[in-house]
Each structure stands twice: as structure tokens, then as C-alpha cells.
């Protein structure tokens, strides 16, 4: 922080002027005046690029003691995570995704289409068109890939694959671990969602099966683990009570999507959840009443929605579409603040893939379908990071980042899932 006496120093005057210019540029971006912001960026040579932010407006309000009269809403509660309002000068501290390296590769007998991390980052699960599910131990994968780095006197750990489950009869389309218990949920094109108790090594079959009349595409646990939202080839979202298996749907037909639901995610505070659909829209739903509270129609210019994910503080939603674009939406204003561009050489994908944050939300990751490379951006200002080859011989159909460590998983049509990690001694 600068003291009042510091402003006498010409160097500090220059620093304050640069900060003011950056806040002006960020405010212009935030208000949608992109061309003016770009021109001002060139004139004052702002580097690094400025993210959209209304910090300047808030400083003005505080100085003038103006009551903004801004209505409070479900998205105003800020806890942690990406927050463009307060991070104009923030610099990313986490290692770039391009510095990660492959630590382990596991293979299925057909295309690998699903993957997930447990909430503590200690387990990984992969799912395949061959209807199988593998559960792998992260520490064992790390030990297997770098035995020389093991602590002296520590015994060699067992095989990384600790469970293999064969309870589905068709493609495993989605996987997610329970947020609190040792339970894995799997969605499948065999019209079922299955829950596995993974605490017991001998268990090979699901202890609960939720049947449907159409293939299941995606699912998401409520943060408490008591409920689960499920998206299928049908346009109506289902919400299940995990304990009883009872199914709930919205009672207002006009609020539903018009085509298959491709993705669903809960906000960490459970106040809202989001769905994306083949109809090109993103919908936000009240976490208690189940009513639709907002719709981003044509969110990706009409293209199918591939993924949605909330930031940890619930202020923003990251989405990807088959237009090969990734967008960051500010939920309190229903606006797209940032578009992460440059991925894809065709402009339209043939397959779904996901955009995800890294564990610190410093970066946005998105696999390029054509080159099977990983595109990544600074999440705050959308500046491109280094491109990295993912080493797959087929399209990457799923990517998920560890919630706790610099590690991610890629699942591909080449039958393989690759576990990537940034080792502490990497440069």
C-alpha cells in the first residue's frame, strides 16, 4: 500500500497513474465498451491485459458515499475464488498447465468418455464405451511414475487401479464422486444411474440403481450429497433424493429446455444449479424451489452447450459450446464478461468437450479437438498461455482438473485416460 507521503515520489505518481488507467480500461471492458478499451490499452500500453471489472465504479461510490441501491440477489455472496472486482492487479501464482507432465496412462477396451476426481483429490475414476469403470489412487499413480522420488524407507505402493466395475451394459457417459461419502455415481447410455459403495473392495455391483426411459448424459451431486441432479436425452431435468431414490421434476413445463440436457452443475453454496442443453441455452435454477430463475438463450450463438461450471464464490459461470468458444458469465448481471478465444481451427467442434478451471482458478483449460492440444488462458484477462500437446491419438472427450492439486485428467477416443501433474521440482 502507498502512504500519503509516498505520492511525492515521482515513481509512485507514475504507478498511481498506471493503476488508474488500468481501472478505467477494466471499467470500460465491464460496461461493454470493448473497442474504446482496446484503443486506450494501446495508448497507455497497459501490460498485462486488463480484465473486466467495476472496481472503479465501486471506489467512486464509496468516495461519494452513494447508495448504489443495487438489489441483493443469490449471486452477491462472495467467499473465495475468482473475483474480477478486486483482482485488477492480481498475478497468477499457480504453475501454467503447459508445465504439467504425464504421470500415468490407463487404457480401456474402447473410447474413454468420462472422468472425475474425488473431492479430496485422492482418487480418480474413468468410464468407457466398453461399459467399464476404473478407480485409481492418485498417490499410487505418482509413485508408479517416479519411484526415485519416494521417501526413503517407504514401501512400494500397489497397483494404481484399485477397483474395476462392470455393472453397466452400455457406454458410461458421466462419473462423479459423492461430496462426503465413499460413493461413486455413474451415468450410462443403458438408461441408468448407478451408485457404488467404493469403501468395500469386494463390491462389484451398484447398491442402488436409478432407472430411466432414455440414455443418461450427466449428473451432479448437491453439495450436501443428499440430492442428485440428472440430465438425460429427455429435455426435463430430474432431481433425485439419494437416500430414497424419489424423483422430482419442475412443475412448470414452459421453464424446461426443449432438447436433451448435456451438462448440469451445482453452485458450491447450493443456492442455484445450472444446466446446458442441445437447444443452445443455459438455465439457472433455484436450489430450493427448483424453479428456473434465469435463461441465457443462444448462449453460444445457438451452438450446443458442452459444459458449465461455477466459480467457488458462485459469482461467475464458465461455459463452453460447440462453437469452440469459452465464456465467463457474471450471474448478478446475466452478462458475458470474457470470451476465451483462439481454440479450434474449424470454428465448430464435432464432439463435446469441457472447459474447466485449474484448482486455484488462475487458468481456464480447454482441449482443442483438431490438434488434440491443450489451450489455456489467464482466467482474469483471457491472455493465451502456452499450447501443450496432450499426447492422445484421438479426440479428447473429457477433461477434469483436480480440486486440490496441480493435476488433471484427459479421456480420449484413443481408449486412454492420461493423468497429468505438475511436479514440485518441475521448471
Amino acid at each position: 500500500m502507498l502512504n500519503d507521503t509516498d505520492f511525492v515520489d515521482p515513481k509512485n505518481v507514475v504507478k498511481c497513474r498506471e493503476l488508474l488507467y488500468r481501472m478505467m480500461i477494466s471499467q470500460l471492458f465491464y460496461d461493454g465498451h470493448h473497442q474504446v478499451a482496446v484503443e486506450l490499452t494501446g495508448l497507455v500500453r497497459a501490460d498485462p491485459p486488463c480484465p473486466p471489472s467495476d472496481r472503479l465504479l465501486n471506489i467512486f461510490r464509496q468516495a461519494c458515499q452513494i447508495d448504489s441501491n443495487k438489489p441483493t440477489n443469490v449471486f452477491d455472496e462472495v467467499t473465495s475464488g475468482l473475483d474480477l472486482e478486486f483482482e485488477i492487479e492480481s498475478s497468477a501464482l499457480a504453475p501454467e498447465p503447459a508445465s504439467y507432465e504425464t504421470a500415468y496412462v490407463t487404457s480401456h477396451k474402447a473410447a474413454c468418455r468420462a472422468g472425475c476426481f474425488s473431492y479430496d483429490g485422492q482418487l480418480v475414476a474413468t468410464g468407457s464405451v466398453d461399459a467399464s469403470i476404473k478407480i485409481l489412487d492418485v498417490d499410487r499413480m505418482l509413485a508408479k511414475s517416479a519411484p526415485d522420488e519416494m521417501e526413503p524407507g517407504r514401501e512400494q505402493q500397489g497397483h494404481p487401479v484399485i477397483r474395476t466395475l462392470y455393472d453397466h451394459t452400455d457406454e458410461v457417459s458421466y462419473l462423479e464422486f459423492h461430496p462426503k461419502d465413499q460413493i461413486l455415481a455413474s451415468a450410462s447410455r443403458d438408461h441408468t444411474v448407478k451408485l457404488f459403495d467404493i469403501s468395500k473392495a469386494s463390491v462389484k455391483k451398484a447398491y442402488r440403481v436409478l432407472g430411466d426411459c432414455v440414455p443418461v448424459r450427466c449428473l451432479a451431486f448437491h453439495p450436501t450429497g443428499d440430492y442428485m441432479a440428472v440430465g438425460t436425452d429427455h429435455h426435463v431435468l430430474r432431481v433425485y433424493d439419494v437416500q430414497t431414490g424419489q424423483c422430482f421434476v419442475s412443475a412448470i413445463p414452459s421453464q424446461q429446455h426443449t432438447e436433451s440436457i448435456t451438462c448440469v452443475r451445482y453452485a458450491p453454496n447450493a443456492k442455484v444449479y445450472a444446466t446446458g442443453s442441445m437447444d443452445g441455452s443455459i438455465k439457472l435454477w433455484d436450489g430450493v424451489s427448483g424453479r428456473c430463475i434465469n435463461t441465457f438463450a443462444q448462449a453460444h450463438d445457438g451452438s450446443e452447450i458442452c459444459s458449465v461450471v461455477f466459480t467457488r464464490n458462485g459469482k461467475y459461470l464458465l461455459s463452453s459450446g460447440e462453437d469452440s468458444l469459452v465464456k465467463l458469465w457474471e450471474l448478478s448481471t446475466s452478462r458475458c464478461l470474457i470470451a476465451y478465444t483462439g481454440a479450434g481451427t474449424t470454428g465448430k467442434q464435432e464432439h463435446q468437450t469441457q472447459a474447466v478451471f485449474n484448482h486455484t482458478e488462475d487458468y481456464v483449460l480447454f482441449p482443442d479437438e483438431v490438434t488434440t492440444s491443450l489451450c489455456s488462458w489467464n482466467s482474469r484477462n483471457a491472455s493465451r498461455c502456452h499450447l501443450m500437446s496432450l499426447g492422445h491419438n484421438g479426440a479428447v472427450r473429457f477433461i477434469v482438473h483436480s480440486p486440490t492439486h496441480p493435476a488433471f485428467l484427459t479421456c480420449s477416443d484413443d481408449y486412454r485416460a492420461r493423468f497429468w501433474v505438475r511436479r514440485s521440482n518441475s521448471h
Side-chain angles (χ1 to χ4, degrees), residues 15 17 27 56 70 77 94 98 181 199 212 229 260-261 278 285 290 305 316 329 369 395 403 411-412 416 421:
K15 289 181 180 178
R17 185 179 293 118
Q27 186 71 51
L56 184 60
K70 181 180 178 182
E77 182 181 333
D181 300 326
S199 65
D212 211 299
S260 303
I261 295 172
M278 291 180 70
W285 307 80
I305 306 301
Y316 309 99
W329 303 83
E369 183 179 277
C411 304
S412 170
R416 295 175 177 84
V421 69

Side-chain angles (χ1 to χ4, degrees), residues 367-375 388-396 412:
D368 179 83
E369 183 179 277
V370 176
T371 63
T372 63
S373 299
L374 181 70
C375 297
M388 181 180 73
S389 172
L390 290 173
H392 286 287
N393 296 319
V396 174
S412 170

Side-chain angles (χ1 to χ4, degrees), residues 185-222:
S186 60
S188 172
R189 296 198 63 80
D190 66 9
H191 301 195
T192 67
V193 171
K194 297 197 173 187
L195 300 176
F196 298 89
D197 183 351
I198 59 173
S199 65
K200 303 171 183 176
S202 60
V203 172
K204 302 296 182 183
K205 300 292 183 180
Y207 75 88
R208 174 159 291 133
V209 179
L210 306 175
D212 211 299
C213 58
V214 290
V216 185
R217 287 177 169 266
C218 55
L219 59 87
F221 277 110
H222 186 281

